[in-house]
Amino acid sequence: SLSCETAPIVLNKGLDDESYAATVYLKGESSLTDSENNNLKAALYSKSKLKINDIEEGEGKKVGKLTIKGEKQHAINSAKRIEIYSGEVAINGAKGDGINADGLEMYGGGLSIKGTTSDGVDCSELILVNGGTIDLDVASDDTKGLKCDSIIETNGGPVNVNVDGKGSKAVKAKQTVTVTGGDLIAALNAKEPFAGTNNEFNYNAAIACDGDIEINNDANVEIKGAGIAAKGLNSDANVILNGGELSIDLTGKQDDEKANRDTVSCTGIKCDGKFTLTDGKVDIHIGSDAYLCKGIKADDDMTISGGDLTIKIEGGYYITGQTQSGGGGGGGMWGFGGSSKTTYSYAASKIIKAGKNFTMTGGSANL
C-alpha cells in the first residue's frame, strides 16, 4: 500500500524524456493513492504503452488486485494505450477520469471504476473490449462511462454500466460504436436532466454516438431504467442492426422544457440518419409515465428486411388545442338552430416514426 504527496506512485518516464513500454504485474492485493499536491495529473502515470498482467494467473491461483485512487486528477494516465490482460484493477475514486489515455484494450481480467468526478474511461483513439469484465458506476452529472473521441468496439465482456448522473451516458463515441459480441448492460436512472448553458438540456443514453451505432452477430445489449427522457440508442447518424439481441425497457417520465417550450420523452432508438434491421431480435418497451414517447424514431429512411421486432408503447398523449365550429340549418353561415362541434389536436406517442420512407420486405414486427 503506497501513497505519495508530491508525485505519482508509478512513474514510467525515461530520464531523456523518451518513453518505454512497461508491464505492471499484479500479485496479491495492492493499493496506490496520490494527493492533491501531485506534480503530475495521475496516481499512476506512464508516458508509454502500459500493460497490466496477473503474475499468478491460472486455475486455482489467487487473482492479483490493484486498487487506485486519484486525489489530484486521474487515477491512471498514459500518453499511449493501456492494455489489460489479467488480474483486477479497481479504481475507487478520481478527481478527474478513472482512466485517461490514447486507448484502452481489454483482453481479460477485470476493470471496475466508481467515484470519478469526470468520465470512467476517456480515450482519444480507441476503446476495444475483447474479453474480461468491465463494471462502471457513473454518478457524476454530464459524464460518460466509456468515452472515446474515435471508435468503441466490444467483442467480449460483459460491460456493465450503472448511470445515475444527470445527462450522463453509459457509452459515448464520436466516430462509431460497434457491438459484435459479448454483453453490454446499461441501467439509466437519472431523475433530472442536466441543465447546460443557453437552455440546453442533456438526458441519459445507453449508447450515444456522433456516427453510426451497429450491433452484429451474437451480441447481447440490455438497456433499462427510469431515467427521465432517457434514450436507448442515440445516434447523430445511422443505426444498423445485423444480429444479436437488443432489449430496451424504459419507464422514465417525460421532461417539459418550459424555457424551450418543448417536451422531451423516452425513445427506444433515435437516429438522425437511417434505421436498418436485417437480422436479430429487438424488443422495446416504454412505460406509461413516458408521455409522447417513441419506440423508434429516424429522421431518414427506415428499412426492415429480417429479424424479429417487438415494440410496446404505453405512453400517453397531450391535447395541444381545440376548436369549435357551429352548424345548423339555413341562412348560410349565420344560420340558426345548429349545434357546435369541438375538434381536438393531439401530440401523441408513436411506435415508429420515420422522417422519410418506411420499407419492410422481411422479418416480423409485433407492434
Side-chain angles (χ1 to χ4, degrees):
S1 178
L2 300 174
S3 62
C4 188
E5 185 71 17
T6 59
I9 308 304
V10 177
L11 173 66
N12 177 37
K13 180 179 179 182
L15 295 177
D16 51 5
D17 234 16
E18 292 186 7
S19 60
Y20 304 91
T23 299
V24 174
Y25 288 104
L26 306 182
K27 180 178 181 180
E29 296 188 13
S30 303
S31 63
L32 307 176
T33 305
D34 65 345
S35 86
E36 59 184 11
N37 297 317
N38 185 351
N39 58 21
L40 289 175
K41 56 184 180 181
L44 194 161
Y45 173 85
S46 178
K47 195 181 177 184
S48 70
K49 178 184 287 188
L50 190 65
K51 299 180 179 182
I52 297 176
N53 263 309
D54 182 358
I55 201 169
E56 290 186 317
E57 60 181 319
E59 186 175 354
K61 300 290 186 178
K62 185 176 180 180
V63 176
K65 182 176 182 179
L66 174 63
T67 301
I68 307 174
K69 191 170 185 179
E71 295 287 2
K72 171 63 181 288
Q73 191 172 351
H74 309 311
I76 303 176
N77 177 239
S78 173
K80 303 294 183 181
R81 294 188 184 183
I82 295 171
E83 300 174 1
I84 299 177
Y85 292 91
S86 57
E88 295 183 15
V89 177
I91 295 173
N92 287 345
K95 296 296 174 61
D97 302 325
I99 292 178
N100 183 284
D102 281 358
L104 170 67
E105 299 178 21
M106 284 282 300
Y107 297 101
L111 171 65
S112 63
I113 302 176
K114 64 181 181 180
T116 60
T117 300
S118 190
D119 305 312
V121 177
D122 186 353
C123 295
S124 57
E125 295 178 355
L126 172 70
I127 294 177
L128 174 66
V129 182
N130 274 340
T133 300
I134 297 179
D135 290 291
L136 306 174
D137 194 340
V138 183
S140 296
D141 297 339
D142 197 29
T143 57
K144 288 80 182 174
L146 297 179
K147 176 189 173 186
C148 186
D149 292 338
S150 184
I151 296 169
I152 296 177
E153 181 177 343
T154 64
N155 303 309
V159 178
N160 301 291
V161 191
N162 184 59
V163 182
D164 292 320
K166 300 175 185 177
S168 296
K169 314 290 188 286
V171 176
K172 173 68 169 70
K174 286 190 175 180
Q175 292 190 12
T176 59
V177 175
T178 305
V179 185
T180 302
D183 299 325
L184 196 161
I185 302 170
L188 312 174
N189 289 302
K191 299 302 185 287
E192 297 178 38
F194 177 78
T197 58
N198 300 321
N199 296 327
E200 294 179 356
F201 295 86
N202 291 327
Y203 302 90
N204 284 166
I207 302 178
C209 188
D210 295 351
D212 293 348
I213 297 173
E214 188 170 339
I215 299 175
N216 302 307
N217 298 348
D218 59 350
N220 177 51
V221 179
E222 299 178 20
I223 301 164
K224 61 182 180 180
I228 185 169
K231 308 292 184 291
L233 308 184
N234 190 359
S235 169
D236 292 347
N238 307 301
V239 171
I240 305 109
L241 307 179
N242 292 322
E245 294 190 15
L246 170 63
S247 172
I248 300 173
D249 188 357
L250 301 175
T251 60
K253 295 182 178 180
Q254 77 283 353
D255 183 47
D256 296 320
E257 296 180 356
K258 294 180 180 179
N260 298 322
R261 296 183 178 181
D262 191 17
T263 298
V264 182
S265 187
C266 285
T267 303
I269 298 174
K270 178 184 176 296
C271 58
D272 294 346
K274 298 179 179 180
F275 171 84
T276 304
L277 172 61
T278 66
D279 198 3
K281 183 178 179 181
V282 180
D283 193 333
I284 299 173
H285 170 250
I286 301 181
S288 59
D289 287 341
Y291 278 49
L292 309 188
C293 60
K294 309 290 187 296
I296 302 176
K297 180 181 180 296
D299 290 346
D300 207 309
D301 295 339
M302 295 183 63
T303 303
I304 299 174
S305 59
D308 297 321
L309 176 64
T310 300
I311 304 178
K312 182 178 181 181
I313 299 300
E314 298 181 81
Y317 59 87
Y318 285 142
I319 298 176
T320 58
Q322 64 183 54
T323 57
Q324 290 186 342
S325 58
M333 66 180 295
W334 301 109
F336 295 96
S339 61
S340 63
K341 181 180 180 181
T342 303
T343 302
Y344 296 97
S345 299
Y346 298 91
S349 295
K350 295 176 175 62
I351 294 176
I352 288 176
K353 187 176 188 300
K356 294 185 179 179
N357 301 309
F358 175 86
T359 305
M360 185 170 180
T361 61
S364 65
N366 181 6
L367 312 177

